[in-house]
Amino acid sequence: MDYRELYDIALNASKNAYVPYSGFHVGAAVLTEDLKIYCGANMENASYPVSLCAERTAMSKALYDGHRSFKAVAVAATKDGQEHSAAPCGMCRQFIFEFGDDIEIIFGENRDSLKIFRIKDLLPEGFRL
């Protein structure tokens, strides 16, 4: 799958975000090793630490369906109709890292300026038991 297409899917997923406080819509599209795609969006809460990031929402859906091997996670964000670059936060990086060093993370200002990193490059000293 072309990563621009995966980014577009994440961008579309951002429309389902629940963001009454920040107005910052984030969507994620997770590509499993067997090429299934799971989407998620961020879900805010008045108590901010209770909020859910798009990446963990999408990965949790895939995990619930039994997937444990992932190729890539695309992240896209908008605010006031403008696209914004949104790299995964530290908590999401650790969550993704749990499932492999080489999962590719895709994000950028738009589909034509994507950055691609392996999760181990974004979280070089990730924690594992």
Side-chain angles (χ1 to χ4, degrees):
M1 160 167 280
D2 180 279
Y3 283 162
R4 284 178 291 179
E5 185 179 349
L6 194 64
Y7 174 86
D8 290 342
I9 293 168
L11 185 61
N12 191 53
S14 73
K15 296 174 185 173
N16 292 322
Y18 175 72
V19 291
Y21 307 104
S22 72
F24 195 72
H25 296 74
V26 182
V30 173
L31 180 64
T32 67
E33 282 291 342
D34 60 350
L35 305 181
K36 290 195 167 112
I37 298 171
Y38 287 83
C39 296
N42 57 324
M43 303 293 157
E44 293 179 349
N45 187 280
S47 175
Y48 256 50
V50 179
S51 298
L52 295 172
C53 295
E55 301 92 311
R56 287 181 286 130
T57 300
M59 284 199 72
S60 293
K61 289 169 65 177
L63 290 163
Y64 179 81
D65 279 354
H67 297 279
R68 300 295 184 267
S69 298
F70 303 97
K71 289 181 68 71
V73 178
V75 184
T78 65
K79 182 167 175 68
D80 301 325
Q82 290 283 111
E83 288 182 52
H84 291 273
S85 185
C89 72
M91 192 180 303
C92 287
R93 291 176 192 204
Q94 178 58 51
F95 193 93
I96 296 165
F97 185 81
E98 176 83 9
F99 299 97
D101 292 348
D102 294 319
I103 298 169
E104 292 183 306
I105 310 301
I106 301 108
F107 61 94
E109 289 292 326
N110 57 55
R111 74 184 321 268
D112 295 320
S113 65
L114 296 178
K115 299 174 186 176
I116 301 170
F117 295 91
R118 290 177 301 172
I119 190 63
K120 70 180 176 185
D121 297 326
L122 290 177
L123 188 70
E125 299 295 327
F127 176 78
R128 287 208 183 100
L129 290 177

